[in-house]
Amino acid sequence: MPSASGNPRPLGLALALLLAACGGTERPVARSTAPSPPRPRTVVARPLQAAPGLSVPATIAKGQSQVYTFSLEKGQFADLRVDQQGADVIVTLYGPDRQPLAKVDNRYGKQGPEILPVIAETAGEYRLKVQSEDSGHYEIRIAALRPANAGDRDRVTAERLFSTGEELGGEAAVTRERRAADLFRASGEREREADVLHGLGNADSSLYRHAEALGSYRQALALFRECGRERKAVRVLNDLGKAHRALGEPQQALACYDQALALSRQVRDQTGEALTLNNLGKLYDEALGETGKALDSYDKARTLWQRLGDRSKEASTLKNLGILHQFQGDPETALVYLEQARAIWEPDGPTSQRADLLTTLAQAYSRSGENGKAVGMYQRALDIQRRIGDTGSEAVTLNDLGCAYLLMKRPKEAREWFARAAPVFHQIGNRQGEATVLTGLASIDTDLGHPREAIEKLGIPLAASDPSTRAVALLVLARARRQLGDLPGARQAVEAGIARIESLRGSSARQEIRTSFLASNQSFYSFYVELLMELGNPAQALAASEEARARSLLDLLAEAQAGLRQGIDPRLLAREAEAARRVNAAEEKRWLLAQAGTSPERLAPAERELSAELTAYDRAQSEIRLASPRYAALPAPRPLDSEQIQHQVLDGDTVLLEYALGEERSWLWAVTPEKVESFPLPPRAAIEEAARRAYGLVSRKAPSRAQTQRALAELSRLLLRPAAGLLDRKRLLVVGDGALHFIPFAALPVPGTEALPEPVPLMEEHEIVTAPSASSLAELRRACAGRHTPPGTLAVVADPVFTTFPPLPFSRKEADSILALAPASGRLSALGPDASRETVFSGKLGRYRIVHFATHGILDADHPELSKLVLSREAFLRAHEIYRLDLPADLVVLSACSTALGKEIRGEGLVGLTRSFQYAGARGVLVSLWEVGDRATAELMRLFYRELLQRGATPAAALRTAQSVLREEDWRAPYYWAGFVLQGDWQPADKPFHPPGIYPGKPSRRPLQRRTR
């Protein structure tokens, strides 16, 4: 019987050193794998009186065996059948000598009869044993009982050939089943001929002869339709789809699955429908790259398996969901699904499934960095596969072990495992597996400086049907060509590889997966940037850097502009709202347990529950995207090239400082409207070590002043000194990378002042604005362009009523001081109990140009979509809820702790509250980098709003002045004044924030201090 999972995904091209991830190679369906034997027990035989038309109903429990005895005379023919009525049974017939005569277990699971015709060669007592791995009903029938004739002998011979072929598998199955098909055809038994042709197709597929299998499947399909056996036709259509998939024909596979799905629903075959949905999920995920549709198909399949009570098939779908998430760079969610599958299969599941699940779990642990644990699981799986003789899966596991050792920086051991897997894949004709292994071996050759040997191995990988395999093979080819000095050839190869991975990324409907998928493929972009710099093309390298970063934010902003929710079925929106409610309940439960000091072991179930609810919520959002005609028509926004950045993003007062951290060296681009210059920097490790050291000091209330100055001076020398001659503009736009997202650039010393007793902070000479990419800033402007300006000036949500959180005594003072600066007719005061979820979701905040929150902020680094602001009565405003707000504000101020932070994802920056507000419509967001002090923050905000509302300053200029003044008012340490950063657009809106004629504009009392260098 085929499993619900079919063949798992092709293993991530498993060049772990290149992609920091392992996936899985195509695993053949295990053949002749017996289920775990039941416990030994005494079985009492039940005697039957053999007679034509005999019918005996029975009930069987999981793992039980039942035996029946009956007598036959010599030469007598008995047409024995066991009709399955909810139980999937295995039936064995024994002769008078107690030796087995036949064993049957049809491939249609619980559907259809098990057929055992027999001719008694000797008179005596025959035994019929019925076994089951699940509970249900069946019925024993004797359809005919008579003296045997020549036709009966042919039929018995055909059935024996068919059943033994099914059990043996491989070439033996092909030989036997061809003879059986001829015998059934001669006797006119069309349905049994179709059954055998179906089996013959499966046998050819197991030998990777998929083209030959197609012919047998098509003949079987025509016969089943002729006989009116639609449920069997559903199964054949599924196997036809798998064969087309294996031949690299995904559209033909999709057509087969669509036919199977329609037919299964027509005849109300829920088992066939669930099987088809599961296979559709795999096709959408692995071959078509349509992750949203894959998630939807898997979800529907899982629901049907649960309704049918088929726990084993449910586990197969759970495993496929785990594979999807780990391949998309989300091992945490993958482990949630895989552990659920393990809970079902581990106690008594089939041995081959346990081995397969062990390898899938091992891959997820590899992606999580737990390679030692992964190796142990691979070894356990390898032992099982060798014990049951599953050569194809053994080869896959050998390959996976090679990937694990690559991740552990042990290339010699990796090469050993790859070398052992390669001939096995070649021998069994698995070209996909062979391509994966050869790619791994070629990667090791390039690491060891043998580029010619690497290129020789890449022929099969570069011709592979799997787009991911070809993409990584192209990257290895690019590296090898670069070592040979062929830089143009290297560029051609890496650009082709990037085009392939971008096409896969763009097909996913789920935002989180698009983000994590891009993050897992940063090796392509890092190499590309380095290569372009080597070719002397800094402007093109800058464009490649933009291509590598903040792509999911571009997609988000484009979606926000498109208005995807217009015209959507209200039922989908209601389903999303219910999913969000369940997420919030699960998150609150986990949060309360964590606050109570619950141990990690006892907290784990709540973590798993939360992850499952987040996945359901993501799925609901994915359904809305897929149902939206606006989404279908939405073009993917393209990152800007260097010339577009100069003309569309920058102005004459602004210089862009964009950083890209690399393993061997890093880069800084300094860009003005007139020119693009680049500078080499130390490797990522050196810069991030200095950045984390500086952050650890400036984010503390009372660090050593000397240590802090040294740390900031070192960072300034690394990051700013190379471009010191270009820092002659009023404003710096900083696009960071890695740990640089945590750094307050405002506190870095101006180059040339690092060694002074009192270094000059960068903010004394410059306004400083940050962005995840220059392209995202342009997209943000496009999203905000031409929209209606809210009529109100300022809405303040502050000083919530807490019972468990510590009070913020200066929050009310902060709110009162800034509200006093806005006209009464243009402000909203939501203080105390009014600082509530009801206020936030009432729609009132969307009427104001500035929205200010003064409260506690809570960072959730594991689930950035659950980072939150605390409102009255301990209610939370979570990042994922902010996406659903309509907030066309020019500025959102989050006067709370660590609101700038989130989960750092390579190529995306920090994913958290900031991008939630940008999606909701905010042009700019003022956020904090650490746990800011209550009193100092209140004073900083008073100064900031004075500049903004009374003196007509832009947000960037107002922040610079407020920081400068606060620094002189006994708040010298950067901890007090440098914690807030402006993210987003620095350009003013259509009009200043202060109403004309009410507050006369005055020049700032803190003009930019320019020194003569």
Side-chain angles (χ1 to χ4, degrees):
M1 295 169 288
S3 74
S5 63
N7 293 346
R9 101 172 25 263
L11 192 144
L13 326 164
L15 305 181
L17 287 176
L18 305 177
L19 300 184
C22 290
T25 305
E26 190 80 5
R27 292 180 186 276
V29 176
R31 301 180 295 279
S32 65
T33 301
S36 302
R39 294 179 179 177
R41 65 184 72 184
T42 302
V43 180
V44 178
R46 177 182 175 184
L48 301 176
Q49 186 64 46
L54 175 71
S55 177
V56 180
T59 301
I60 193 167
K62 181 178 180 179
Q64 188 178 8
S65 294
Q66 296 174 347
V67 176
Y68 301 85
T69 61
F70 57 95
S71 297
L72 294 177
E73 298 176 4
K74 183 176 181 180
Q76 200 170 25
F77 167 74
D79 189 355
L80 301 173
R81 296 178 180 234
V82 179
D83 291 329
Q84 301 175 111
Q85 300 170 349
D88 183 5
V89 300
I90 303 170
V91 185
T92 309
L93 178 67
Y94 297 86
D97 59 357
R98 301 295 179 93
Q99 294 300 307
L101 297 176
K103 181 179 180 181
V104 293
D105 180 18
N106 78 52
R107 71 177 59 83
Y108 305 111
K110 300 177 182 181
Q111 298 181 8
E114 303 289 359
I115 302 174
L116 291 93
V118 59
I119 295 176
E121 302 299 337
T122 58
E125 183 180 78
Y126 288 74
R127 298 168 66 86
L128 195 70
K129 184 170 77 170
V130 181
Q131 301 167 269
S132 180
E133 286 301 308
D134 53 19
S135 301
H137 304 280
Y138 65 90
E139 185 177 22
I140 296 175
R141 292 191 295 116
I142 298 182
L145 184 67
R146 61 172 181 265
N149 57 40
D152 294 333
R153 290 194 177 276
D154 285 345
R155 182 178 166 201
V156 170
T157 300
E159 293 288 357
R160 296 295 180 273
L161 287 167
F162 184 25
S163 61
T164 56
E166 289 282 278
E167 189 169 2
L168 291 170
E171 202 63 63
V174 172
T175 303
R176 286 167 170 77
E177 289 173 3
R178 281 179 180 158
R179 290 173 56 198
D182 291 340
L183 289 169
F184 282 127
R185 188 178 303 114
S187 66
E189 294 192 59
R190 306 290 277 169
E191 183 177 351
R192 290 307 279 162
E193 180 189 353
D195 286 333
V196 176
L197 286 168
H198 189 185
L200 185 58
N202 288 346
D204 275 325
S205 287
S206 73
L207 296 168
Y208 303 98
R209 298 198 295 244
H210 302 293
E212 292 88 337
L214 287 177
S216 298
Y217 287 144
R218 287 168 180 153
Q219 292 179 62
L221 180 62
L223 288 172
F224 281 138
R225 284 174 166 163
E226 179 185 311
C227 298
R229 299 301 187 189
E230 288 87 354
R231 294 188 176 216
K232 290 185 176 181
V234 168
R235 303 309 186 277
V236 178
L237 282 166
N238 271 277
D239 288 335
L240 260 172
K242 290 180 184 178
H244 280 299
R245 164 80 169 91
L247 288 168
E249 300 167 350
Q251 292 303 324
Q252 291 93 321
L254 181 61
C256 291
Y257 291 146
D258 284 344
Q259 290 181 57
L261 193 61
L263 184 57
S264 64
R265 289 170 175 168
Q266 177 186 330
V267 300
R268 298 183 179 181
D269 176 11
Q270 289 191 329
T271 299
E273 182 182 355
L275 179 68
T276 306
L277 285 164
N278 189 80
N279 289 332
L280 266 171
K282 291 177 65 60
L283 181 72
Y284 281 131
D285 176 27
E286 299 171 10
L288 300 175
E290 299 187 42
T291 309
K293 291 183 179 179
L295 285 167
D296 181 63
S297 296
Y298 283 145
D299 185 44
K300 290 175 179 175
R302 183 184 178 189
T303 299
L304 283 172
W305 294 134
Q306 290 172 338
R307 188 180 303 163
L308 293 164
D310 196 326
R311 296 281 286 160
S312 181
K313 300 285 198 307
E314 180 190 353
S316 293
T317 299
L318 285 166
K319 189 197 75 173
N320 288 343
L321 279 163
I323 291 171
L324 183 154
H325 282 279
Q326 74 159 311
F327 187 73
Q328 299 291 353
D330 185 6
E332 293 82 6
T333 304
L335 286 168
V336 171
Y337 284 117
L338 295 174
E339 290 295 351
Q340 289 178 23
R342 190 181 192 182
I344 295 172
W345 275 339
E346 191 70 17
D348 55 359
T351 303
S352 61
Q353 288 177 330
R354 289 207 305 273
D356 188 47
L357 184 59
L358 281 169
T359 60
T360 307
L361 275 164
Q363 291 160 12
Y365 280 115
S366 280
R367 286 179 180 270
S368 298
E370 299 184 59
N371 294 298
K373 194 170 187 177
V375 166
M377 286 190 170
Y378 284 135
Q379 294 284 11
R380 287 170 58 195
L382 198 61
D383 290 342
I384 294 172
Q385 291 155 353
R386 286 171 173 166
R387 190 163 63 246
I388 65 177
D390 189 353
T391 306
S393 293
E394 179 185 344
V396 173
T397 305
L398 291 169
N399 174 77
D400 292 347
L401 277 162
C403 298
Y405 279 104
L406 271 182
L407 278 171
M408 292 189 287
K409 312 291 186 184
R410 293 161 66 176
K412 290 185 178 179
E413 287 103 321
R415 175 183 274 181
E416 283 182 30
W417 293 107
F418 286 143
R420 290 165 65 181
V424 181
F425 280 129
H426 183 78
Q427 179 184 352
I428 64 178
N430 186 342
R431 285 180 64 83
Q432 176 58 47
E434 188 176 5
T436 300
V437 172
L438 289 171
T439 306
L441 286 168
S443 177
I444 294 172
D445 282 338
T446 59
D447 289 340
L448 298 177
H450 305 303
R452 297 188 189 280
E453 291 87 336
I455 292 173
E456 288 175 3
K457 293 180 174 70
L458 289 174
I460 292 176
L462 290 171
S465 60
D466 176 66
S468 300
T469 302
R470 293 178 69 181
V472 180
L474 284 164
L475 177 57
V476 177
L477 178 63
R479 294 169 57 211
R481 285 177 173 173
R482 181 187 179 193
Q483 287 186 11
L484 291 170
D486 179 11
L487 300 187
R491 178 176 180 175
Q492 181 184 28
V494 73
E495 287 177 344
I498 287 174
R500 291 190 177 279
I501 63 167
E502 280 296 323
S503 67
L504 292 175
R505 180 203 70 87
S507 63
S508 171
R510 181 179 170 198
Q511 186 57 48
E512 180 185 335
I513 285 180
R514 280 182 285 180
T515 301
S516 56
F517 183 75
L518 180 64
S520 68
N521 287 283
Q522 285 295 301
S523 297
F524 287 89
Y525 292 105
S526 297
F527 177 86
Y528 190 36
V529 167
E530 186 72 25
L531 182 65
L532 288 170
M533 294 302 298
E534 196 169 341
L535 283 164
N537 296 323
Q540 293 178 6
L542 172 63
S545 174
E546 283 288 308
E547 184 86 15
R549 66 179 78 228
R551 292 299 303 280
S552 69
L553 179 55
L554 288 179
D555 295 334
L556 279 172
L557 293 172
E559 288 176 18
Q561 176 75 359
L564 299 184
R565 293 168 183 270
Q566 296 180 24
I568 291 295
D569 187 339
R571 290 173 295 182
L572 291 179
L573 298 176
R575 191 180 307 167
E576 180 201 37
E578 172 59 18
R581 185 195 66 77
R582 293 176 63 90
V583 165
N584 293 348
E587 190 271 341
E588 211 155 312
K589 175 181 174 182
R590 181 201 63 160
W591 188 82
L592 290 171
L593 288 171
Q595 292 300 108
T598 306
S599 68
E601 294 76 16
R602 296 185 64 185
L603 193 60
E607 290 278 5
R608 289 194 293 270
E609 179 186 352
L610 175 59
S611 291
E613 296 298 351
L614 281 169
T615 300
Y617 176 70
D618 289 334
R619 199 156 46 233
Q621 288 193 314
S622 178
E623 288 179 352
I624 290 173
R625 286 192 179 95
L626 292 172
S628 170
R630 292 171 180 263
Y631 182 79
L634 185 64
R638 297 299 304 169
L640 304 184
D641 60 30
S642 59
E643 186 174 348
Q644 290 170 321
I645 291 172
Q646 289 176 292
H647 296 140
Q648 296 180 27
V649 176
L650 302 179
D651 54 40
D653 290 329
T654 307
V655 58
L656 166 66
L657 300 178
E658 181 158 327
Y659 296 87
L661 305 186
E663 301 305 317
E664 297 181 6
R665 57 181 168 174
S666 304
W667 295 97
L668 163 62
W669 290 272
V671 186
T672 66
E674 299 79 29
K675 58 185 175 182
V676 176
E677 295 202 23
S678 60
F679 306 91
L681 302 179
R684 169 186 292 271
I687 290 177
E688 292 205 326
E689 180 184 357
R692 296 184 194 283
R693 182 165 54 249
Y695 179 83
L697 290 166
V698 296
S699 61
R700 285 162 42 198
K701 186 174 292 188
S704 162
R705 183 176 178 220
Q707 280 186 318
T708 303
Q709 286 189 354
R710 282 197 299 271
L712 292 172
E714 178 188 4
L715 203 53
S716 178
R717 282 191 289 269
L718 290 173
L719 301 178
L720 299 176
R721 180 179 287 181
L726 296 174
L727 303 183
D728 56 354
R729 310 287 168 124
K730 178 174 73 173
R731 187 179 304 108
L732 305 182
L733 170 61
V734 179
V735 173
D737 189 15
L740 300 187
H741 292 295
F742 299 88
I743 294 303
F745 274 74
L748 297 185
V750 170
T753 72
E754 307 99 321
L756 297 177
E758 191 68 35
V760 178
L762 199 62
M763 63 84 187
E764 290 288 358
E765 293 199 356
H766 305 277
E767 298 172 9
I768 298 171
V769 183
T770 66
S773 73
S775 301
S776 66
L777 186 55
E779 186 64 30
L780 181 65
R781 286 178 182 165
R782 190 182 74 83
C784 295
R787 72 184 184 191
H788 175 69
T789 300
T793 301
L794 173 67
V796 176
V797 181
D799 193 27
V801 177
F802 300 136
T803 55
T804 61
F805 285 91
L808 296 171
F810 287 89
S811 175
R812 175 64 68 105
K813 180 180 178 181
E814 174 183 325
D816 290 340
S817 67
I818 63 177
L819 283 166
L821 297 171
S825 61
R827 68 192 185 201
L828 170 68
S829 174
L831 309 181
D834 292 332
S836 62
R837 282 178 61 87
E838 290 76 16
T839 297
V840 171
F841 289 100
S842 68
K844 296 177 182 177
L845 301 185
R847 304 170 193 165
Y848 296 88
R849 296 181 63 196
I850 305 172
V851 179
H852 181 99
F853 291 90
T855 182
H856 285 292
I858 300 174
L859 168 68
D860 192 322
D862 293 327
H863 302 288
E865 66 273 40
L866 297 178
S867 295
K868 46 194 169 281
L869 300 174
V870 185
L871 301 175
S872 282
R873 295 181 293 277
E874 270 60 42
F876 295 138
L877 174 60
R878 300 167 178 87
H880 76 91
E881 296 177 303
I882 298 168
Y883 281 90
R884 303 204 307 276
L885 296 176
D886 182 15
L887 206 64
D890 289 322
L891 180 66
V892 170
V893 178
L894 303 182
S895 181
C897 294
S898 306
T899 49
L901 305 186
K903 188 174 185 178
E904 204 280 312
I905 297 178
R906 280 195 70 191
E908 284 299 310
L910 300 179
V911 178
L913 289 167
T914 302
R915 70 171 53 199
S916 298
F917 279 106
Q918 288 176 333
Y919 183 89
R923 181 190 297 269
V925 188
L926 186 64
V927 284
S928 60
L929 290 169
W930 52 74
E931 294 187 5
V932 291
D934 186 27
R935 184 182 171 194
T937 297
E939 178 63 9
L940 179 73
M941 290 301 161
R942 183 187 69 81
L943 295 167
F944 173 74
Y945 279 101
R946 184 186 65 184
E947 297 299 313
L948 200 65
L949 297 179
Q950 282 194 315
R951 295 175 174 164
T954 63
L959 176 62
R960 189 204 69 80
T961 299
Q963 289 176 327
S964 180
V965 173
L966 187 69
R967 182 171 173 267
E968 292 186 358
E969 294 181 356
D970 297 327
W971 309 91
R972 301 292 290 177
Y975 165 78
Y976 296 107
W977 57 265
F980 280 88
V981 294
L982 179 66
Q983 298 189 359
D985 195 1
W986 70 85
Q987 290 185 347
D990 295 335
K991 56 184 179 180
F993 288 108
H994 71 91
I998 298 179
Y999 294 106
K1002 298 178 183 178
S1004 168
R1005 60 168 282 215
R1006 301 295 301 180
L1008 286 171
Q1009 302 298 312
R1010 290 296 168 81
R1011 297 177 306 103
T1012 302
R1013 290 187 174 83

